[in-house]
Amino acid sequence: MSKTKKFVLAGLFIALQVVFTRFFSIETPILRVGFGFLPVALASIALGPISGGVIAMLADILGMILFPKGTYFPGFTLSALLSGIIYGIVLYNKENSILRIAISVLLITFIIDMGLNTLWLSIITGKGIMILLPSRIIKSLIMIPIEIFCINIVWKYLYNFMRIPSTKNI
């Protein structure tokens, strides 16, 4: 893949991430339900863990600059970076597999969403982690299968257009 194509894809994924996160999600002070995970996962699948992480980080910063919702907190940018890296490590240059997708989603859900992001919210809001966790656990239990399904379907669909590694229909 040429450098030009990589830059164009990176810009596309950043724009999609900002739009999906800022406009197509439901937010409360402690929860966000949406499809912002999808551009990050696809960027990491197509371009690798480092590019996926940088794309997620840049999208987080750009989203906060253009459409701020509260005070900027760098912990969430770190979480975005790590999410892109995790997706990339587990999915880049690999065959499309429900198990592999599930592993990446579970790692991000437990390490990033339930771990780091809950810590960041606790710092920002002053609420204890154990107060924040129950609603975040319920949201995660609902979103895990949705994320796995969406990543799998879109990865299969995009394979025909972008030559992202895939395998036979699973």
Side-chain angles (χ1 to χ4, degrees), residues 32-37 105 109 113 136-150:
R32 178 186 290 156
V33 177
F35 292 94
F37 64 90
V105 169
T109 298
D113 294 343
R136 296 181 62 74
I137 290 170
I138 293 168
K139 174 245 179 188
S140 294
L141 291 174
I142 293 168
M143 287 302 294
I144 286 171
I146 294 170
E147 289 182 23
I148 293 168
F149 175 78
C150 289

Side-chain angles (χ1 to χ4, degrees), residues 26-146:
I26 299 167
E27 285 189 59
T28 70
I30 60 170
L31 287 176
R32 178 186 290 156
V33 177
F35 292 94
F37 64 90
L38 205 49
V40 174
L42 295 174
S44 300
I45 291 167
L47 303 172
I50 301 301
S51 296
V54 170
I55 287 167
M57 180 184 72
L58 291 174
D60 182 71
I61 294 168
L62 188 62
M64 274 306 291
I65 291 170
L66 295 176
F67 310 105
K69 293 188 177 183
T71 306
Y72 173 74
F73 186 77
F76 293 114
T77 304
L78 174 63
S79 293
L81 172 74
L82 293 174
S83 293
I85 290 171
I86 291 170
Y87 277 128
I89 288 171
V90 178
L91 303 176
Y92 180 63
N93 278 340
K94 308 283 191 318
E95 294 177 351
N96 183 335
S97 156
I98 294 287
L99 178 61
R100 195 171 283 113
I101 294 168
I103 289 169
S104 67
V105 169
L106 289 170
L107 284 171
I108 290 167
T109 298
F110 290 111
I111 296 170
I112 307 300
D113 294 343
M114 303 264 247
L116 290 177
N117 287 349
T118 303
L119 174 63
W120 308 145
L121 286 169
S122 176
I123 291 169
I124 290 171
T125 63
K127 296 180 180 177
I129 290 174
M130 297 310 286
I131 299 296
L132 298 171
L133 268 179
S135 60
R136 296 181 62 74
I137 290 170
I138 293 168
K139 174 245 179 188
S140 294
L141 291 174
I142 293 168
M143 287 302 294
I144 286 171
I146 294 170

